[in-house]
Amino acid sequence: MTLPPEWKDDERMNFMFSEFKENRDVNVTDWDSKMDFWTSLIMRSCRQRGSVCINLKDLNETFRREDRSPLGLPTVIQSMARGGKIQRESEFAASVDCGWVSWSVGLLLVKPLKWTFSTLLGGGGVPLEDSFVVIEIVKEKAAELLQLYRSSDLSNCSIVSFQELCGLSSDICADESTLCMALLQLQKDKQVIVCLHEGEKIVKFCQAGQERVSPLNDVDIGIYQLQRSEKLLGERVEKLGQEAARCKEEARNLLREGKKSQALRCLRSRKRVEKRADNLFAKMESIRGILDRIAMSQTDKMVMQAYQTGVAALRLSLKDVSVERAESLVDQIQELCDTQDEVNRTISSGVTAADEDMDALEEELKSLMDEANPDTAPVPAGGVRAPSEQIFSSLPDVPRGPLNVVPDVLEAKLEQLTLSDKDSRQKKSASEGKTSEPAQ
């Protein structure tokens, strides 16, 4: 294993290899630094070796330096046990409700649990052969094992034999004991169920999407037996195929040697082998068809359960909802919208005094205008109309050429117009005088 850099420091290692003081309060800093050093080194050693269990004998051999073993390792083990970092194999197995004890899987259940617990935490020493489980490491191994199963081809089978699992986990579990501890942790976490079937150890894994593994039932056992039968038939078909190929090659060699009768017997044997292989293949296909139907039925069951859950949820959500209530709510909303529209129209129309009469005000304004302009002719009721076309047609044409106007000529015409205007006024006044005399 990889040792820390201070391992070469003699002075530092002399302190680390010494015994712990009986009372921690004498020098808390030295006690804690030594304890942290050995605790981290033990954890690093377990990870590098791929092991989840430790014992005092192996630790003394692992950390031997110049024919010296650390004197404080028993104290370290007791401290780790009190802190819950390690646990005896017997106690770890007892914490899981399973039948591992009857399997004889290597757990050292020699002494009663009560005695071992009191011995560990009491004043007695730690036995050299007692094995302890490192809780943090075994949880890591359990997670790796579960991830390895789900990423392998065995994930199609919910139940796996213990031997198949040993072959699958050979890269992450150093030995069978490590695999057993990882499975114990997974069973404690409700991710696997381990049991015996006809003397064979089988493991049922929790499938993807499930929080915990479902109990083992007869359907699971039946599926496992069908899968085992399919696998055995596949292996036999493969062996028969190899045997048929061998018979064909042997017949070809005999023909080259001129032994036709022996070559014919080899071909007959090949036909028999191929016929057996075809029969076994037909049986294997039947088993595959049954497994496919079982998988479809399980999918249908899952869909039906989802439908039932959805119907129950929908019924619960529509518990207080009805068509009449919905119509009533819609009518109330429409009524409120209409009221809001009327309010908006009223506000936008502006404010008008109730005692004001617009017609009377217009008449008063008109009389005031007449008093202010007494000489102004009354405006026709229909308004002033534009001159008709006859008036425009009676006027002379507008001259289009240049006007040769002489100032003297203009003055003469202006004088004539002035004289004619005076004559017309005199005639008018004379006629008015004659009219007034008879009236008198």
Side-chain angles (χ1 to χ4, degrees):
M1 60 168 294
T2 304
L3 295 172
E6 57 264 33
W7 193 263
K8 298 179 181 180
D9 188 348
D10 293 337
E11 183 179 357
R12 175 69 172 168
M13 287 299 102
N14 288 334
F15 168 70
M16 291 299 174
F17 273 64
S18 62
E19 182 63 85
F20 282 85
K21 301 293 183 181
E22 293 184 2
N23 190 356
R24 175 177 174 270
D25 296 334
V26 173
N27 194 333
V28 177
T29 303
D30 290 347
W31 177 289
D32 292 344
S33 65
K34 186 186 294 187
M35 184 64 65
D36 294 341
F37 174 81
W38 287 115
T39 301
S40 63
L41 197 58
I42 290 172
M43 301 290 286
R44 185 190 305 177
S45 173
C46 291
R47 287 191 174 93
Q48 292 182 358
R49 291 184 294 109
S51 176
V52 298
C53 297
I54 60 173
N55 60 64
L56 185 57
K57 181 180 179 180
D58 292 341
L59 291 178
N60 286 330
E61 292 297 328
T62 302
F63 300 129
R64 181 175 294 275
R65 182 179 183 270
E66 298 178 357
D67 297 333
R68 293 177 57 194
S69 296
L71 300 178
L73 286 180
T75 306
V76 174
I77 291 177
Q78 290 178 354
S79 177
M80 293 178 68
R82 292 189 185 97
K85 295 181 179 180
I86 62 174
Q87 196 175 13
R88 285 183 183 271
E89 282 188 350
S90 56
E91 297 173 5
F92 184 75
S95 65
V96 182
D97 184 16
C98 64
W100 281 76
V101 178
S102 62
W103 287 17
S104 300
V105 292
L107 301 179
L108 304 179
L109 302 177
V110 180
K111 299 179 180 180
L113 300 180
K114 184 177 180 181
W115 183 90
T116 55
F117 187 75
S118 61
T119 301
L120 178 62
L121 300 183
V126 178
L128 292 176
E129 301 292 338
D130 278 6
S131 183
F132 299 89
V133 180
V134 184
I135 304 301
E136 182 179 345
I137 305 298
V138 77
K139 288 182 178 180
E140 294 175 0
K141 289 295 179 183
E144 291 178 8
L145 180 61
L146 183 60
Q147 182 62 31
L148 180 64
Y149 160 76
R150 290 179 175 176
S151 61
S152 66
D153 296 335
L154 295 178
S155 59
N156 297 325
C157 307
S158 60
I159 300 179
V160 182
S161 67
F162 185 78
Q163 295 301 323
E164 289 177 335
L165 199 57
C166 286
L168 178 65
S169 61
S170 59
D171 293 336
I172 62 174
C173 295
D175 50 25
E176 185 174 322
S177 177
T178 303
L179 175 61
C180 291
M181 294 298 107
L183 287 176
L184 275 172
Q185 181 63 40
L186 287 176
Q187 183 152 336
K188 187 176 181 180
D189 297 337
K190 307 300 182 183
Q191 296 298 310
V192 300
I193 290 179
V194 187
C195 63
L196 285 173
H197 174 66
E198 297 179 356
E200 182 185 15
K201 305 171 188 177
I202 58 176
V203 182
K204 182 181 180 181
F205 281 85
C206 176
Q207 298 301 305
Q210 297 179 350
E211 295 182 358
R212 58 177 58 191
V213 64
S214 58
L216 193 67
N217 51 34
D218 295 338
V219 176
D220 296 329
I221 298 297
I223 293 175
Y224 173 72
Q225 291 177 341
L226 286 174
Q227 290 172 345
R228 294 285 295 172
S229 299
E230 179 189 8
K231 184 177 180 181
L232 292 175
L233 288 175
E235 293 175 353
R236 291 181 182 179
V237 169
E238 185 178 358
K239 290 181 179 180
L240 290 176
Q242 295 175 356
E243 185 177 353
R246 182 179 58 80
C247 291
K248 183 178 180 179
E249 185 64 24
E250 186 176 355
R252 185 181 290 109
N253 294 333
L254 291 173
L255 282 176
R256 290 178 186 148
E257 297 174 0
K259 301 176 182 180
K260 295 184 179 179
S261 59
Q262 295 180 5
L264 184 59
R265 284 197 298 271
C266 289
L267 291 177
R268 288 175 181 172
S269 299
R270 178 197 167 206
K271 289 293 183 182
R272 289 195 299 269
V273 171
E274 288 180 347
K275 186 175 180 180
R276 290 171 55 194
D278 292 339
N279 291 334
L280 292 178
F281 186 79
K283 294 177 181 178
M284 185 175 65
E285 287 297 318
S286 299
I287 292 176
R288 287 178 178 175
I290 295 174
L291 289 174
D292 291 340
R293 289 183 177 275
I294 292 175
M296 292 176 61
S297 65
Q298 291 178 344
T299 303
D300 295 340
K301 181 181 178 180
M302 181 179 63
V303 172
M304 290 297 296
Q305 290 177 351
Y307 283 169
Q308 291 177 356
T309 305
V311 169
L314 186 60
R315 182 181 293 110
L316 184 62
S317 62
L318 295 177
K319 182 178 180 181
D320 298 330
V321 179
S322 63
V323 178
E324 293 78 8
R325 187 176 180 183
E327 291 178 351
S328 175
L329 290 175
V330 172
D331 293 340
Q332 293 178 19
I333 293 172
Q334 186 62 43
E335 183 178 354
L336 292 174
C337 291
D338 295 340
T339 303
Q340 185 182 13
D341 293 339
E342 293 179 1
V343 170
N344 291 333
R345 286 195 297 268
T346 303
I347 293 174
S348 61
S349 62
V351 180
T352 304
D355 56 349
E356 289 182 357
D357 190 352
M358 295 302 298
D359 295 337
L361 292 176
E362 289 181 357
E363 290 293 336
E364 184 178 357
L365 179 62
K366 184 178 179 181
S367 62
L368 292 174
M369 292 176 63
D370 293 342
E371 292 178 358
N373 301 312
D375 297 335
T376 304
V379 180
V384 180
R385 291 179 297 178
S388 61
E389 294 182 358
Q390 295 179 357
I391 298 174
F392 287 108
S393 60
S394 62
L395 297 175
D397 295 335
V398 178
R400 299 181 181 276
L403 299 176
N404 297 324
V405 180
V406 181
D408 298 338
V409 176
L410 290 176
E411 291 180 0
K413 289 183 177 182
L414 180 59
E415 186 177 356
Q416 291 177 359
L417 290 173
T418 304
L419 294 175
S420 61
D421 190 20
K422 289 181 178 180
D423 293 340
S424 61
R425 275 192 232 169
Q426 291 177 355
K427 291 179 180 180
K428 184 178 181 180
S429 59
S431 61
E432 288 177 356
K434 291 178 181 181
T435 304
S436 59
E437 288 177 357
Q440 292 177 355

